[in-house]
């Protein structure tokens, strides 16, 4: 197997490849290779020089309830135990190299990993630089319901309020790989969410704070209408916002300057509500702070490709 040293392998004919660039990284994308996976996708390579990759792997079956909602059972079955990328942290080698969420790791320095655990072990053990090959599976529906938002959840009113200072900046995640599909989590930033993901997967105490709500039996206020719009004098553009009404607690107002961003978060809430069994009892619909001693709802599993 190639370890990334010595004489480079001759390039394949130009017609079979296209060159793409992500930041300062380059990757070679090849058509026609499917590695025993569903045909019609693309294979690409990433050469990693850093000690840590910053990537987490799961099987497709483990992602059926969150990132792969709506993916056909046939596709999930075809992926078997192959390691799928479930997370790439910002400011990591995986993110900078353009490694895609949902893509399959097909080889590490030419050797094929059997499953997510094997992939993580091989990447940790490999000398740098390490050559990784990935396959983008066609028709794989990866769904991530998360965005940078402004939120307000401390008053009984459904109105937006008179001042932009009443809102808090949060990174809002519906479901995701470390929470249940019925949970909406809010972090102080995307960076802190990344920290929570990596600490959870590594089995470490949580060092960041997160507010969390149950979406069980919640409703969306005026969901039959477009999002509301408010324009504060000291802000350059208007804010689009929705109001989520939990079964318990105050209304949760979620806003973005982009209608697409706020709709992305709301799509996750609607997706859960459409699947929610009717008549189930909510175990705990109260919003609460979660710290390292109160993180039992979060899912573990998956393997961290260091």
């Amino acid at each position: 197997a190639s370890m990334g040293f010595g004489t480079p392998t001759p390039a394949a004919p130009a017609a079979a490849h296209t060159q793409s660039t992500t930041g300062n990284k380059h990757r070679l994308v090849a058509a026609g290779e499917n590695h025993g996976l569903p045909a019609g996708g693309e294979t690409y390579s990433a050469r990693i020089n850093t000690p840590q990759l910053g990537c987490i792997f799961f099987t497709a079956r483990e992602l059926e309830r969150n990132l792969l909602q709506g993916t056909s059972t046939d596709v999930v079955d075809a992926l078997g135990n192959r390691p799928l990328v479930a997370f790439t942290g910002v400011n990591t080698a995986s993110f900078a190299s353009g490694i895609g969420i949902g893509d399959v790791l097909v080889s590490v320095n030419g050797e094929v990993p059997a499953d997510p655990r094997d992939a993580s072990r091989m990447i940790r053990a490999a000398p740098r630089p390490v050559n990784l090959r990935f396959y983008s599976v066609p028709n794989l529906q990866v769904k991530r319901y998360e965005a940078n938002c402004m939120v307000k959840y401390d008053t009984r009113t459904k109105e937006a309020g008179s001042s932009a200072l009443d809102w808090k900046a949060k990174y809002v995640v519906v479901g995701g790989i470390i929470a249940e599909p019925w949970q909406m989590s809010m972090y102080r930033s995307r960076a802190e969410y990344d920290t929570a993901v990596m600490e959870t997967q590594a089995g470490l105490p949580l060092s960041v704070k997160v507010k969390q709500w149950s979406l069980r039996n919640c409703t969306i206020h005026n969901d039959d209408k477009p999002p509301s719009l408010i324009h504060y004098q000291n802000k350059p553009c208007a804010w689009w916002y929705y109001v989520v009404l939990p079964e318990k607690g105050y209304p949760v107002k979620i806003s973005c300057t982009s209608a697409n961003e706020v709709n992305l978060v709301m799509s996750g809430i609607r997706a859960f509500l459409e699947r929610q069994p009717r008549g189930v009892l909510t175990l705990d619909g109260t919003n609460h702070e979660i710290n390292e001693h109160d993180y039992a709802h979060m899912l573990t599993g998956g393997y961290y490709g260091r």
Side-chain angles (χ1 to χ4, degrees):
S2 169
M3 302 301 289
F5 303 102
T7 305
T9 302
H17 299 82
T18 59
Q19 187 74 33
S20 67
T21 304
T22 304
N24 294 323
K25 305 289 182 179
H26 297 274
R27 61 184 189 169
L28 202 60
V29 179
E33 302 175 74
N34 64 1
H35 312 278
L37 296 165
E42 292 181 333
T43 299
Y44 63 89
S45 297
R47 185 178 175 90
I48 306 299
N49 294 288
T50 58
Q52 292 194 347
L53 177 61
C55 182
I56 294 175
F57 301 99
F58 280 78
T59 65
R61 187 70 63 196
E62 291 169 327
L63 296 175
E64 270 191 304
R65 297 174 66 244
N66 42 63
L67 297 186
L68 299 187
Q69 294 172 22
T71 299
S72 73
T73 302
D74 289 344
V75 172
V76 172
D77 290 344
L79 295 174
N81 290 326
R82 305 292 283 272
L84 269 69
V85 178
F87 169 83
T88 58
V90 294
N91 302 320
T92 66
S94 59
F95 188 87
S97 298
I99 295 172
I101 303 297
D103 291 351
V104 180
L105 176 65
V106 294
S107 70
V108 179
N109 283 337
E111 298 187 3
V112 179
D115 53 36
R117 184 188 295 273
D118 197 33
S120 180
R121 177 192 61 77
M122 292 170 67
I123 292 170
R124 285 199 304 267
R128 272 27 179 190
V130 56
N131 295 311
L132 308 177
R133 287 178 71 78
F134 294 87
Y135 182 71
S136 297
V137 181
N139 303 318
L140 193 67
Q141 300 180 31
V142 178
K143 297 183 178 179
R144 299 168 63 200
Y145 305 115
E146 54 192 70
N148 285 300
C149 300
M150 299 296 291
V151 302
K152 185 172 171 57
Y153 45 73
D154 55 357
T155 61
R156 295 181 182 276
T157 178
K158 302 181 186 70
E159 304 304 318
S162 59
S163 173
L165 298 176
D166 294 335
W167 297 74
K168 297 179 180 180
K170 298 286 184 180
Y171 192 72
V172 181
V173 183
V174 178
I177 65 169
I178 60 169
E180 298 285 359
W182 48 265
Q183 291 173 317
M184 177 172 64
S185 308
M186 296 186 185
Y187 300 82
R188 287 181 292 192
S189 65
R190 166 65 196 267
E192 290 204 358
Y193 172 59
D194 286 1
T195 297
V197 171
M198 291 185 282
E199 289 177 345
T200 300
Q201 298 304 319
L204 298 174
L206 196 67
S207 65
V208 299
K209 289 186 176 181
V210 52
K211 284 194 73 69
Q212 191 173 66
W213 284 262
S214 169
L215 297 174
R216 286 173 167 162
N217 302 322
C218 80
T219 57
I220 302 172
H221 182 60
N222 288 339
D223 197 32
D224 56 338
K225 300 177 181 178
S228 301
L229 192 64
I230 188 166
H231 198 156
Y232 292 110
Q233 284 187 339
N234 60 336
K235 296 298 178 182
C237 53
W239 294 3
W240 300 92
Y241 75 95
Y242 282 96
V243 182
V244 179
L245 304 175
E247 188 176 40
K248 298 180 182 179
Y250 291 163
V252 181
K253 293 171 277 290
I254 304 172
S255 69
C256 293
T257 55
S258 163
N260 289 337
E261 291 289 295
V262 73
N263 279 322
L264 180 61
V265 171
M266 299 309 297
S267 293
I269 297 174
R270 294 187 189 103
F272 167 72
L273 294 177
E274 289 171 1
R275 300 190 310 273
Q276 177 180 240
R278 300 303 173 189
V280 297
L281 294 176
T282 301
L283 298 179
D284 181 7
T286 307
N287 55 296
H288 53 281
E289 291 281 0
I290 293 184
N291 54 36
E292 61 269 24
H293 302 298
D294 186 22
Y295 214 51
H297 293 307
M298 294 302 187
L299 298 179
T300 56
Y303 296 93
Y304 186 16
R306 296 183 182 276

